[in-house]
Amino acid sequence: ERVAVAVLWFVALQAALAYVVAGVVKLREPGWRNGSMLQAVLATEFYGHAPLAAWLRTPAAARAAIWGVIVFELAFPLVFFVPAPWVLALLGTAFLFHAALAVAMGLNAFVWAFLATYPAIFFCATTGRN
């Protein structure tokens, strides 16, 4: 049983680390912090999404959007310290984030890769604390 719990913690912490690393990378890069990288990515042919790119064309909108992502990614480890209803809310928000990326940018694999870790995260954030 202890090995199974350790494996679940490994999966959960790896997922949380993935979110934090993505947030740190964005936080360190001025182009991400000011929203210009988000605008640039959404303007590409491969990852682009014309309606979303048009909506985020103004620097203030792009900056607000990317800072929402940065804060979410950096705050994700809080999932291990909040009550169960908040765990579900954070995981639901994360799922919606990945679903939006799948629709907007075609990053479909991220939905399933991260979604597969959510049962381990939920277990560790609730039952696995003991």
Side-chain angles (χ1 to χ4, degrees):
E1 182 180 323
R2 286 195 290 182
V3 172
V5 170
V7 169
L8 290 172
W9 271 104
F10 177 79
V11 170
L13 292 174
Q14 284 293 313
L17 181 63
Y19 284 114
V20 170
V21 168
V24 168
V25 167
K26 290 176 184 79
L27 187 62
R28 292 183 57 147
E29 292 294 326
W32 279 114
R33 288 193 314 266
N34 68 24
S36 63
M37 291 289 285
L38 179 60
Q39 291 171 320
V41 168
L42 290 171
T44 65
E45 185 176 330
F46 191 72
Y47 291 118
H49 188 272
L52 188 55
W55 185 65
L56 295 174
R57 188 163 289 131
T58 63
R63 203 169 22 257
I66 199 59
W67 274 99
V69 171
I70 291 169
V71 168
F72 171 74
E73 289 174 335
L74 293 176
F76 189 83
L78 292 175
V79 74
F80 299 112
F81 304 101
V82 297
W86 285 98
V87 173
L88 290 173
L90 283 168
L91 291 176
T93 301
F95 172 75
L96 293 174
F97 169 71
H98 289 293
L101 289 178
V103 171
M105 300 174 69
L107 298 174
N108 305 334
F110 283 91
V111 176
W112 306 113
F114 279 92
L115 186 62
T117 67
Y118 292 176
I121 294 168
F122 184 79
F123 173 84
C124 294
T126 57
T127 310
R129 290 181 191 171
N130 303 329

